[in-house]
Amino acid sequence: MAPSIQLTSAGAGNDSDSGDLEDVRLLDSYDKRDVEDGTKRIQVRITGMTCAACSNSVEAALKSVDGVIEASVALLQNKADVVFNKNLVKDEDIKNAIEDAGFEAEILHEQGSVGPKPVGDSTVVGQFTIGGMTCAACVNSVEGILKNITGVKKAVVALATSLGEVEFDPKVISKEEIVDAIEDAGFEASFVQSTSQDEIVLGVVGVVDVQVLESMLSGFKGVRQFRFDPLLSELNVVFDPQVLSSRSLFDGICAVSNGMFELHVRSPYARMASKDGSDSENMFRLFTSSLFLSIPLFFMGVICPHIPFIYSLLLWRCGPFLMDDWLKWALVSVIQFVIGKRFYVAAIRALRNGSTNMDVLVALGTTASYVYSVCALLYGALTGFWSTTYFETSAMLITFVLLGKYLECLAKGKTSDAIKKLVELTPATALLVVKDKDGKSIKEREIDSLLIQPGDTLKVLPGTKIPADGIVSWGSSYVNESMVTGEAIPVLKEINASVIGGTINFHGVLHIQATKVGSDTVLSQIINLVETAQMSKAPIQKFADYVASIFVPTIVALYTAGALGAYPDEWLPKNGNHFVFALMFSISVVVIACPCALGLATPTAVMVATGVGANNGVLIKGGESLERAQLVKYVIFDKTGTLTQGKATVTVAKVFAGMDRGEFLKLVASAEASSEHPLAKAILQYARHFHFFDGSSLTNGSQNDASEFKSGWLYDASDFSAIPGRGVQCVIDGQHVLVGNRKLLEESGINISTEVENFVVELEESAKTGILVACDDILIGVLGVADSLKREAFVVVEGLQKMGITPVMVTGDNWRTAQAVAKEVGIQDVRAEVMPAGKADVVRSFQKDGSIVAMVGDGINDSPALAAADVGMAIGAGTDIAIEAANYVLMRDNLEDVITAIDLSKKTFSRIRLNYVFAMAYNIIAVPVAAGVLYPSLGIKLPPWVAGACMALSSVSVVCSSLLLRRYRKPILTTILHEIVVN
């Protein structure tokens, strides 16, 4: 880890008595209130613990104290978390108990009450890069370490991305302590980013005087802590967002620096990409170095014996050994201990954590070959009996393993291309329109897009990307939103229209007012969703983790048995050495048996699939969702806004009470003016156009604005109330008005005549919804409302049926309308007049026999069903609540993506199964060959370097297999319809 300079906290100045900054930060962050039940929590720093036995001793000592309710000791953090009854025990008693056990103790701070969290207490999610992981055993080891740290709520580690996502309480543990814990376990770690909004990372260009920088930052009110890393030229600043904004901090540092250095904001994604590039470069450098030193070994063993002059030089005796022996020993020693040092470091780390991985196998096999060769040379020098050496085995083995790791790094980098493409959508800079106190524009200024703040006015030129989510405040233009929504047709944006960051402005100049910035933008949420999905583990991966955990120890046991002479004597060649013969077989077995590919089989495929899905407008929330979707048996569709356009229009209005049509519509519109229901908006629109039929009152503004509907021409309504699943009621000019369905009127005791009933039935049979209107208990008229089907609905339903999936429709609408719509799209199973809570019950009814059920919906009323379903699919144009409850988000508001989601899931898990074949095939076929099964009958052996090549190829094969998913093309529905059976 790069060394860093820890600066003093701003506000503390240079006071040498301020103590450890981390302790000060923790002290200031804790609530110190006692609670009514008399319990109290404190943290104690403990010095002198060296192993698990020490932490167990401290825990036992604490729990033996009368009044201590709970005690937890964290060995890695050298801390104890103690909950006790303050009426029985004092802080000093806790400290004395630890010291009596033979350790030093220091009470850090009180942690407040035990029980519900104080208001405002929250956890943050941080991302950390973790280096040195080679297989599933490493992942399990790191996850286990993180989950055992006090203050960590959840930890997920991904092998394919070398990332860890940790949910932790910053009041209990800092990100630096998490990094230290990972590094103490022997892995490399660095912090990337977190959900906390109070931190900024700045790249510094130029010569930096640390003391000058410290004095600068100490003068800023609101700066809590800062740290400068001279190797990375990065300045990390933690600040109070209530006092200081990131832009004012940036501008302030630039202003006082007087040109001594330049600053730019470091994007966490750019830092990760830079690290990925350096990892690949480092692996390539190791591989080429090993190859460069291995080539002479190959020439000495294969080419030189055919060149007499050179061969005679190699056979020249120099001291106790031949020149050939000296050269081989020197070259291989460099490869073994300099280039191959990483294998020893990682192997020791794994063994220290109680696990075994690829590095253990490589280190074991190459060391055995090297040590034997050295011993053979020394034995020959002492006795004159010269045995064959196997230096080449060690060198070639390390070279091939490094080649495999380099190819794996390159391939794994390709799996995260989807994230990189999404990140690149956001422009690096933005044009900020600076205004005076009167709101007049006085100048324009180019700023980093990461410094945009809510409320900023940004100028977007033609052909440039919109830098943040916002509202158009001036101008009009067409904007291409295909990169986010998937819709290729540009959308007209005028004043008050919303725009999405990352989309492209085509023609005119726009001024937009930023509403969402940073992690709140649509694009950032999409990136976060894809990242979270890539970090998650599919259930099938548990199998791989289990196999990996027992596979390596089994192989090491076989290696030991082979090296100790388990091979039968009849296998030995004439005059063969039993130990050497067994050793070569054992090394081959150990090397080829590495389970690296097994650990990569699932995560790489899930990574690529989630990226491919994002590129096609299908956002997947995790590997578990991806795995379940391939098994879907029923797809339940909501009707309004899902199968239909969700844009209701009034097609007919019939009056039954002799009232004037205009007066009737005015009455209905006045009753519906306070409702947010889509049908209410349709009625208002229809009534308004009827009322202003001559066009004299039409304006150039929005005709959908509710304030226009209410202005002037509507009656005043009082005692308004919306009745879920029924309609609305209110009082207008002393008259009680009801607008809704049959149930509303029937429950109110209003008679529905045969004439009205026949008219409503006729509407419903033509897939329209009949809205009945009553005034003072008399039914006065009916409105017919139609919501046209989405053009792709019929084809999608038929496509699902061809895939062997049963479509179902559930709606709160009446039976006749529901059946008419279902008949039009080809759905046989219909559930109508279902209340929002009842939709979840419908989902559960299909799950009773163990079937996997998908629910497709768009509204708040669909969220219970989306959450209850095995696979919830939210239409992207739907509400935030529906999207939050779903497993899939269909960004394009197109039902075709339901089939895309299921088809991608099936293709992904077919690829995962194939990956397991690649991962295990080399082991199943080659391990017996390496162990010598074919040697007695055919004399076939598998040299260790060939075993190393096979091991490397297994990992590369798995990753390349996953990368083939990038060629995925979503199914063309017309093709599906012509297939008899799909998958």
Side-chain angles (χ1 to χ4, degrees), residues 290 294 297 328-329 331-337 339-340 343-344 362-374 389-402 584 587 591 943-945 948:
S290 183
S294 296
L297 292 171
K328 286 182 179 178
W329 192 355
L331 291 171
V332 174
S333 295
V334 175
I335 295 173
Q336 184 74 35
F337 300 110
I339 298 173
F343 296 111
Y344 286 104
V362 173
L364 190 62
T366 57
T367 302
S369 175
Y370 178 85
V371 169
Y372 170 76
S373 299
V374 171
T389 59
Y390 295 93
F391 284 121
E392 299 91 339
T393 296
S394 172
M396 296 292 285
L397 189 53
I398 290 174
T399 301
F400 273 104
V401 172
L402 290 174
M584 288 302 105
I587 291 174
V591 171
W945 67 269

Side-chain angles (χ1 to χ4, degrees), residues 659 667 730-737 775-776:
M659 182 184 290
L667 184 72
C730 65
V731 176
I732 298 176
D733 289 338
Q735 297 174 308
H736 184 237
V737 179
C775 182
D776 281 342

